Amino acid sequence: MLGTILVGVAMAVGLVGVLIPGLPGTFLILAAGVLWALFVEDGGTGRWVVVGVMAVLFVVGIAAKYALPSRHLSGRLPKSTLRFGVAGAVIGLVVFPPLGLLIGGVLGTYLAEARRLGPGAEARRSTVEVLKAVGLGIVAELVAGVLMVTTWIAGVVVT
Protein backbone atom coordinates (compact mmCIF):
# COMPACT_ATOMS: atom_id res chain seq x y z
CA MET A 1 0.00 0.00 0.00
CA LEU A 2 2.75 2.45 0.95
CA GLY A 3 4.65 1.61 -2.24
CA THR A 4 1.58 2.38 -4.36
CA ILE A 5 1.16 5.71 -2.58
CA LEU A 6 4.83 6.60 -3.18
CA VAL A 7 4.47 5.73 -6.87
CA GLY A 8 1.39 7.98 -7.02
CA VAL A 9 3.33 10.83 -5.42
CA ALA A 10 6.16 10.35 -7.92
CA MET A 11 3.64 10.51 -10.75
CA ALA A 12 2.12 13.70 -9.33
CA VAL A 13 5.62 15.20 -9.24
CA GLY A 14 6.00 14.08 -12.86
CA LEU A 15 2.83 15.94 -13.85
CA VAL A 16 4.20 19.08 -12.20
CA GLY A 17 7.48 18.41 -13.98
CA VAL A 18 5.75 18.73 -17.34
CA LEU A 19 4.99 22.35 -16.45
CA ILE A 20 8.39 23.22 -14.96
CA PRO A 21 11.21 23.50 -17.50
CA GLY A 22 14.08 21.15 -16.86
CA LEU A 23 12.18 18.44 -14.99
CA PRO A 24 11.57 15.17 -16.86
CA GLY A 25 7.80 15.03 -16.39
CA THR A 26 6.44 12.18 -18.45
CA PHE A 27 9.70 10.24 -18.13
CA LEU A 28 9.32 10.34 -14.34
CA ILE A 29 5.73 9.11 -14.66
CA LEU A 30 6.83 6.20 -16.86
CA ALA A 31 9.75 5.35 -14.55
CA ALA A 32 7.39 5.30 -11.56
CA GLY A 33 5.08 3.00 -13.49
CA VAL A 34 7.95 0.61 -14.24
CA LEU A 35 8.99 0.60 -10.56
CA TRP A 36 5.38 -0.11 -9.61
CA ALA A 37 5.29 -3.09 -11.99
CA LEU A 38 8.61 -4.40 -10.70
CA PHE A 39 8.38 -3.96 -6.95
CA VAL A 40 4.97 -2.98 -5.60
CA GLU A 41 2.85 -5.94 -4.55
CA ASP A 42 2.16 -8.89 -6.85
CA GLY A 43 -0.10 -8.23 -9.80
CA GLY A 44 1.13 -10.56 -12.51
CA THR A 45 1.37 -9.69 -16.17
CA GLY A 46 -1.47 -7.19 -15.99
CA ARG A 47 0.94 -4.66 -14.52
CA TRP A 48 3.20 -4.96 -17.55
CA VAL A 49 0.26 -4.40 -19.87
CA VAL A 50 -0.43 -1.17 -17.96
CA VAL A 51 3.22 -0.13 -18.27
CA GLY A 52 3.14 -0.99 -21.99
CA VAL A 53 0.15 1.30 -22.52
CA MET A 54 1.91 3.99 -20.49
CA ALA A 55 5.02 3.60 -22.68
CA VAL A 56 2.98 4.04 -25.86
CA LEU A 57 1.37 7.18 -24.40
CA PHE A 58 4.83 8.43 -23.41
CA VAL A 59 6.18 8.05 -26.96
CA VAL A 60 3.10 9.67 -28.51
CA GLY A 61 3.29 12.55 -26.01
CA ILE A 62 6.97 13.23 -26.67
CA ALA A 63 6.43 13.06 -30.43
CA ALA A 64 3.52 15.49 -30.18
CA LYS A 65 5.52 17.77 -27.86
CA TYR A 66 8.04 18.38 -30.63
CA ALA A 67 5.96 17.89 -33.78
CA LEU A 68 3.07 20.22 -32.94
CA PRO A 69 5.18 23.34 -32.23
CA SER A 70 7.34 22.65 -35.27
CA ARG A 71 4.27 22.33 -37.45
CA HIS A 72 2.74 25.46 -35.91
CA LEU A 73 5.86 27.52 -36.66
CA SER A 74 6.68 25.98 -40.02
CA GLY A 75 7.33 28.71 -42.54
CA ARG A 76 6.49 31.53 -40.11
CA LEU A 77 9.92 32.18 -38.67
CA PRO A 78 13.44 31.78 -40.01
CA LYS A 79 15.54 29.03 -38.48
CA SER A 80 17.97 31.64 -37.18
CA THR A 81 15.25 33.01 -34.89
CA LEU A 82 14.61 29.57 -33.49
CA ARG A 83 18.35 29.04 -32.98
CA PHE A 84 18.57 32.33 -31.07
CA GLY A 85 15.64 31.21 -28.94
CA VAL A 86 17.30 27.87 -28.14
CA ALA A 87 20.62 29.59 -27.38
CA GLY A 88 18.85 32.05 -25.10
CA ALA A 89 17.05 29.19 -23.36
CA VAL A 90 20.31 27.32 -22.73
CA ILE A 91 22.04 30.45 -21.42
CA GLY A 92 19.01 31.27 -19.28
CA LEU A 93 18.97 27.76 -17.83
CA VAL A 94 22.63 28.07 -16.82
CA VAL A 95 22.24 31.57 -15.36
CA PHE A 96 18.85 31.21 -13.66
CA PRO A 97 17.65 27.60 -13.42
CA PRO A 98 14.94 26.43 -14.05
CA LEU A 99 12.90 29.52 -14.96
CA GLY A 100 15.80 30.92 -16.94
CA LEU A 101 15.00 28.38 -19.65
CA LEU A 102 11.72 30.12 -20.40
CA ILE A 103 13.00 33.66 -19.82
CA GLY A 104 16.12 33.12 -21.91
CA GLY A 105 14.18 31.48 -24.71
CA VAL A 106 11.71 34.35 -24.91
CA LEU A 107 14.47 36.95 -24.73
CA GLY A 108 16.56 35.17 -27.37
CA THR A 109 13.59 34.91 -29.71
CA TYR A 110 12.65 38.54 -29.22
CA LEU A 111 16.23 39.75 -29.81
CA ALA A 112 16.47 37.74 -33.03
CA GLU A 113 13.16 39.08 -34.27
CA ALA A 114 14.00 42.64 -33.20
CA ARG A 115 17.24 42.36 -35.17
CA ARG A 116 15.37 41.00 -38.20
CA LEU A 117 12.22 43.19 -38.10
CA GLY A 118 13.21 46.05 -35.84
CA PRO A 119 12.08 46.44 -32.27
CA GLY A 120 8.36 46.86 -31.94
CA ALA A 121 5.05 45.21 -32.58
CA GLU A 122 6.21 42.75 -35.26
CA ALA A 123 9.02 41.39 -33.09
CA ARG A 124 6.64 41.03 -30.16
CA ARG A 125 4.04 39.33 -32.36
CA SER A 126 6.61 36.78 -33.58
CA THR A 127 7.74 36.12 -30.02
CA VAL A 128 4.14 35.50 -28.95
CA GLU A 129 3.77 33.01 -31.83
CA VAL A 130 6.78 31.09 -30.53
CA LEU A 131 5.33 31.12 -27.00
CA LYS A 132 2.02 29.77 -28.31
CA ALA A 133 3.84 26.99 -30.14
CA VAL A 134 5.85 26.04 -27.05
CA GLY A 135 2.64 26.10 -25.00
CA LEU A 136 1.02 23.76 -27.50
CA GLY A 137 3.87 21.31 -26.99
CA ILE A 138 3.54 21.54 -23.21
CA VAL A 139 -0.19 20.90 -23.41
CA ALA A 140 0.41 17.84 -25.61
CA GLU A 141 2.89 16.42 -23.09
CA LEU A 142 0.59 17.25 -20.17
CA VAL A 143 -2.32 15.42 -21.83
CA ALA A 144 -0.05 12.41 -22.37
CA GLY A 145 1.03 12.57 -18.72
CA VAL A 146 -2.53 12.74 -17.45
CA LEU A 147 -3.49 9.78 -19.66
CA MET A 148 -0.47 7.84 -18.35
CA VAL A 149 -1.45 8.48 -14.74
CA THR A 150 -5.08 7.62 -15.50
CA THR A 151 -3.93 4.35 -17.06
CA TRP A 152 -1.88 3.57 -13.97
CA ILE A 153 -4.80 4.34 -11.64
CA ALA A 154 -6.98 1.97 -13.70
CA GLY A 155 -4.21 -0.62 -13.44
CA VAL A 156 -4.05 -0.23 -9.66
CA VAL A 157 -7.80 -0.76 -9.41
CA VAL A 158 -7.89 -3.73 -11.79
CA THR A 159 -4.76 -5.59 -10.67
Side-chain angles (χ1 to χ4, degrees):
M1 178 72 169
L2 178 63
T4 302
I5 291 170
L6 291 174
V7 167
V9 169
M11 288 186 180
V13 170
L15 284 176
V16 172
V18 171
L19 302 174
I20 297 176
L23 292 179
T26 51
F27 179 77
L28 180 58
I29 295 168
L30 181 60
V34 169
L35 289 175
W36 169 74
L38 282 172
F39 300 113
V40 178
E41 302 165 16
D42 185 31
T45 58
R47 291 178 183 270
W48 290 107
V49 171
V50 170
V51 171
V53 172
M54 289 174 67
V56 169
L57 291 168
F58 171 77
V59 170
V60 169
I62 294 298
K65 175 184 178 179
Y66 293 107
L68 291 174
S70 175
R71 187 173 184 184
H72 182 76
L73 292 175
S74 181
R76 294 184 186 192
L77 297 174
K79 292 201 185 296
S80 62
T81 295
L82 300 178
R83 285 188 203 111
F84 266 85
V86 169
V90 170
I91 292 168
L93 182 61
V94 170
V95 173
F96 186 58
L99 294 177
L101 184 74
L102 179 62
I103 295 166
V106 170
L107 187 60
T109 301
Y110 177 76
L111 290 174
E113 287 299 280
R115 187 189 74 178
R116 184 173 73 97
L117 302 169
E122 284 299 315
R124 284 191 299 275
R125 197 170 301 122
S126 293
T127 304
V128 167
E129 283 298 314
V130 170
L131 284 173
K132 285 180 184 177
V134 169
L136 185 61
I138 290 170
V139 167
E141 186 179 15
L142 184 61
V143 166
V146 167
L147 290 174
M148 290 168 70
V149 172
T150 303
T151 300
W152 173 74
I153 291 170
V156 168
V157 170
V158 170
T159 56

